[in-house]
């Protein structure tokens, strides 16, 4: 008789270990990296918040865990090459950082890059956003999906996968498109990546397994050596999105070349109404339909509280 398996109700407790701040801070070992106030200020995004003590308690242990994974990956790759009798070549380590819009992906990516560079000063570490692989505005309008920018179908997914194939194949120099948040579009120029050792891939879609229109079941996540999902209660993320909109009204939106210049003169009431509407109809919808569903595909989950503070770390059991 075939046994019927019932789905487990509590995925997190079965798949993950959960750590409070005090518990996680103990895992930093002897890692000791000094970051100045200027360093931290340069890492932060507009309305993100982080303190030196939070970096030590949360990000030092994360960095130590990443370094262990990098070292183990190098050793395993060397031994596999010996086993197969092939000449070794560089195999870049790819770290994926994902989560909702406005949750702090860029800040986390820059911070991890800085910390890993302090440990590995001779390694070339790059950050690449999947925004660089969005379809151009002209293409989005042609396909009538301009209002779905950030949804799975708005990306040149095959181009992103081809790029990752090149990275993992040890191609010494690759070029990728450049996305401008100021102009809200893909630019004519290209970004060069030369002989990377570590790549931090940051974006909404890196753990999604939908590849619209493609028969080959190859996904972005297949190329990730370690993945991090940053999350918070959806009401917090929405408020951070609205806060960021207000800050952009006073900064980038005022630029004469900004795609959103028309929003710089909105009243506070108009700005809150519009940003809330954008969240509800686009970013919040994408989060609930596509992004949060990938949460339990990540090796590490960072859970944030109302003031951007990290409250909990969840690490997948090995």
């Amino acid at each position: 008789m075939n046994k019927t398996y019932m789905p487990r109700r509590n995925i997190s407790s079965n798949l993950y270990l959960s750590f409070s701040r005090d518990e996680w801070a103990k895992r930093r070992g002897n890692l000791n990296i000094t970051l100045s106030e200027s360093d931290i200020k340069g890492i932060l995004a507009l309305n993100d918040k982080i303190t030196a003590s939070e970096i030590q308690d949360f990000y030092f242990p994360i960095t130590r865990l990443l370094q262990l994974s990098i070292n183990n990956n190098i050793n395993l790759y060397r031994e596999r090459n010996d086993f197969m009798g092939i000449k070794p070549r560089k195999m870049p380590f790819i770290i994926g950082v994902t989560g909702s819009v406005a949750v702090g992906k860029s800040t986390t990516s820059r911070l991890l890059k800085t910390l890993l560079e302090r440990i590995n000063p001779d390694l070339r570490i790059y950050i690449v956003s999947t925004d660089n692989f969005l379809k151009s505005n002209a293409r989005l309008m042609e396909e009538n999906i301009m209002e779905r920018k950030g949804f799975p179908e708005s990306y040149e997914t095959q181009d992103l996968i081809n790029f990752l194939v090149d990275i993992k194949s040890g191609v010494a120099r690759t070029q990728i498109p450049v996305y401008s948040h100021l102009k809200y579009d893909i630019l004519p120029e290209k970004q060069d990546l030369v002989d990377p050792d570590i790549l931090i891939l940051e974006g909404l879609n890196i753990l999604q397994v939908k590849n619209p229109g493609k028969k080959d079941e190859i996904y972005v996540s297949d190329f990730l050596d370690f993945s991090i999902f940053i999350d918070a209660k959806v009401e917090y993320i929405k408020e951070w999105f609205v806060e960021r909109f207000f800050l952009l009204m006073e900064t980038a939106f005022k630029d004469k070349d900004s795609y959103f210049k028309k929003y710089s003169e909105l009243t506070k009431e108009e700005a809150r109404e519009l940003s809330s509407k954008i969240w509800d109809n686009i970013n919040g919808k994408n989060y609930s339909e596509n992004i949060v569903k990938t949460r339990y595909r990540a090796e590490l989950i960072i859970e944030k509280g109302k003031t951007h503070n990290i409250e909990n770390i969840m690490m997948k059991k090995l």
Side-chain angles (χ1 to χ4, degrees):
M1 179 181 292
N2 293 331
K3 184 177 180 179
T4 301
Y5 288 91
M6 299 299 291
R8 296 183 183 273
R9 294 186 178 181
N10 193 338
I11 293 178
S12 62
S13 65
N14 286 306
L15 291 182
Y16 289 84
L17 299 170
S18 183
F19 298 88
S20 67
R21 179 168 185 160
D22 288 343
E23 292 169 336
W24 188 248
K26 295 174 183 176
R27 271 96 187 146
R28 64 178 284 187
N30 60 357
L31 185 64
N32 188 19
I33 303 170
T34 301
L35 293 180
S36 67
E37 290 184 10
S38 177
D39 290 332
I40 296 173
K41 186 177 180 180
I43 288 167
L44 291 176
L46 272 176
N47 62 327
D48 224 342
K49 300 177 180 67
I50 196 167
T51 63
S53 62
E54 190 172 39
I55 291 172
Q56 292 176 357
D57 289 348
F58 285 110
Y59 286 99
F60 277 18
I62 292 173
T63 305
R64 182 179 173 225
L65 178 61
L66 286 172
Q67 189 64 48
L68 288 171
S69 299
I70 292 166
N71 293 340
N72 287 337
N73 191 70
I74 292 171
N75 292 332
L76 177 60
Y77 183 61
R78 184 185 298 117
E79 290 177 5
R80 286 183 65 186
N81 283 332
D82 289 342
F83 173 79
M84 294 183 287
I86 61 176
K87 185 178 179 180
R89 54 176 173 74
K90 179 180 289 189
M91 176 65 76
F93 191 89
I94 303 181
I95 302 164
V97 178
T98 190
S100 171
V101 167
V103 82
K105 298 185 300 301
S106 297
T107 293
T108 295
S109 297
R110 286 192 292 268
L111 178 53
L112 292 177
K113 179 177 184 288
T114 300
L115 294 174
L116 286 169
E117 284 175 336
R118 298 292 173 88
I119 300 173
N120 307 281
D122 296 328
L123 299 187
R124 293 182 179 180
I125 305 176
Y126 291 90
I127 297 174
V128 169
S129 171
T130 59
D131 287 348
N132 294 325
F133 294 91
L134 282 164
K135 295 177 180 178
S136 68
N137 286 355
R139 178 83 180 275
L140 293 173
M141 288 187 284
E142 180 183 332
E143 297 181 11
N144 198 28
I145 55 172
M146 189 67 178
E147 296 301 316
R148 290 180 65 80
K149 183 178 276 195
F151 283 73
E153 65 270 25
S154 68
Y155 290 90
E156 301 285 7
T157 306
Q158 191 59 50
D159 289 348
L160 174 56
I161 288 174
N162 291 343
F163 160 69
L164 294 172
V165 169
D166 284 345
I167 293 295
K168 278 298 188 183
S169 298
V171 174
R173 181 170 184 165
T174 55
Q175 285 191 329
I176 61 172
V178 175
Y179 181 79
S180 168
H181 288 276
L182 182 69
K183 295 189 175 182
Y184 197 57
D185 203 357
I186 298 293
L187 300 179
E189 58 258 35
K190 301 289 184 180
Q191 176 185 349
D192 283 331
L193 280 80
V194 180
D195 205 21
D197 295 288
I198 299 172
L199 173 68
I200 300 174
L201 184 68
E202 174 259 312
L204 304 174
N205 58 330
I206 62 173
L207 293 180
Q208 294 169 14
V209 293
K210 293 180 181 178
N211 193 0
K214 299 296 179 183
K215 294 181 180 180
D216 295 335
E217 294 185 358
I218 299 175
Y219 307 113
V220 172
S221 59
D222 293 335
F223 299 90
L224 303 180
D225 296 295
F226 196 95
S227 55
I228 299 171
F229 192 102
I230 308 170
D231 206 11
K233 291 182 179 179
V234 69
E235 58 266 30
Y236 298 163
I237 306 175
K238 178 178 180 178
E239 188 55 37
W240 300 339
F241 178 81
V242 172
E243 287 175 1
R244 189 173 72 175
F245 190 93
F246 276 97
L247 289 169
L248 288 169
M249 282 177 59
E250 299 301 319
T251 53
F253 288 177
K254 291 184 178 295
D255 191 295
K256 62 181 178 61
D257 294 323
S258 173
Y259 179 89
F260 299 103
K261 191 176 189 318
K262 58 186 176 181
Y263 297 151
S264 64
E265 303 300 327
L266 294 176
T267 65
K268 289 185 177 181
E269 293 76 14
E270 290 170 336
R272 178 165 288 277
E273 182 180 354
L274 177 61
S275 56
S276 294
K277 183 178 179 180
I278 292 172
W279 172 265
D280 293 338
N281 294 337
I282 301 176
N283 296 299
K285 187 177 181 181
N286 193 18
Y287 173 76
S288 62
E289 289 182 2
N290 299 299
I291 299 169
V292 73
K293 294 177 181 179
T294 70
R295 170 184 164 106
Y296 291 120
R297 300 193 69 227
E299 273 76 34
L300 197 77
I301 300 172
I302 298 174
E303 296 180 326
K304 289 188 172 184
K306 187 175 177 61
T307 60
H308 293 267
N309 58 301
I310 298 176
E311 292 186 333
N312 193 52
I313 294 286
M314 294 172 62
M315 187 175 72
K316 187 174 283 186
K317 298 176 183 177
L318 299 180

